[in-house]
Amino acid sequence: MVNITPDNKLKRLIVVGDRVLIKPKDPTDRTVSGLYLPPTVQEREQVQSGYVIKVGPGYPIPAPTDDEPWKETEEKVKYMPLQAQEGDVALYLQRNAIELQYEGEQYVIVPQSSILMLERSEDLL
């Protein structure tokens, strides 16, 4: 797992909206039966897993409307937070992932809707 520390550059990244930055796990190069898979087959797998590095603020919620439109109000955007949290292990759909390379490391950005399941190391109760 990749930790975000003050000395690395990941702290400067800001993920926007309902997107999640994921560090893919190293894909297994062989099947359960022991057959070795070439890299081209591994890339085509539909479901991948990886570590959640950063998450966006969430889905924007529309501001409530006042009955007094002449009042000037400071409009602050509110967000519904995402379920994914930093440090989770995520199973996601590869076809919706956008691959990128940052500081020599491979990452993917996926929308929250592409995440099928999260595994959290801490107890949820």
Side-chain angles (χ1 to χ4, degrees):
M1 188 167 118
V2 177
N3 291 326
I4 298 175
T5 59
D7 60 330
N8 69 17
K9 308 273 192 296
L10 290 175
K11 200 165 195 95
R12 296 187 310 177
L13 292 179
I14 298 172
V15 180
V16 180
D18 69 330
R19 305 291 192 266
V20 179
L21 180 69
I22 296 177
K23 170 83 172 140
K25 283 186 177 181
D26 293 329
T28 57
D29 58 350
R30 61 182 185 166
T31 63
V32 177
S33 62
L35 296 174
Y36 284 93
L37 299 172
T40 54
V41 173
Q42 295 172 23
E43 291 172 3
R44 284 191 224 138
E45 291 294 319
Q46 293 293 321
V47 178
Q48 298 288 330
S49 66
Y51 298 104
V52 175
I53 302 299
K54 294 197 98 168
V55 296
Y59 301 100
I61 299 173
T65 57
D66 277 341
D67 292 336
E68 302 169 348
W70 61 87
K71 277 187 172 178
E72 294 206 18
T73 58
E74 186 178 312
E75 194 168 319
K76 292 195 175 199
V77 179
K78 294 185 180 180
Y79 293 95
M80 176 164 303
L82 303 178
Q83 287 180 306
Q85 296 177 3
E86 293 178 8
D88 290 348
V89 175
L91 289 174
Y92 61 93
L93 294 173
Q94 179 66 30
R95 70 172 174 255
N96 297 332
I98 299 171
E99 297 180 8
L100 62 103
Q101 191 165 357
Y102 182 76
E103 297 290 326
E105 294 286 331
Q106 196 70 23
Y107 297 100
V108 293
I109 294 180
V110 297
Q112 163 109 352
S113 60
S114 294
I115 296 177
L116 303 173
M117 183 174 68
L118 294 167
E119 179 184 351
R120 195 161 288 149
S121 59
E122 64 187 41
D123 196 8
L124 295 176
L125 297 175

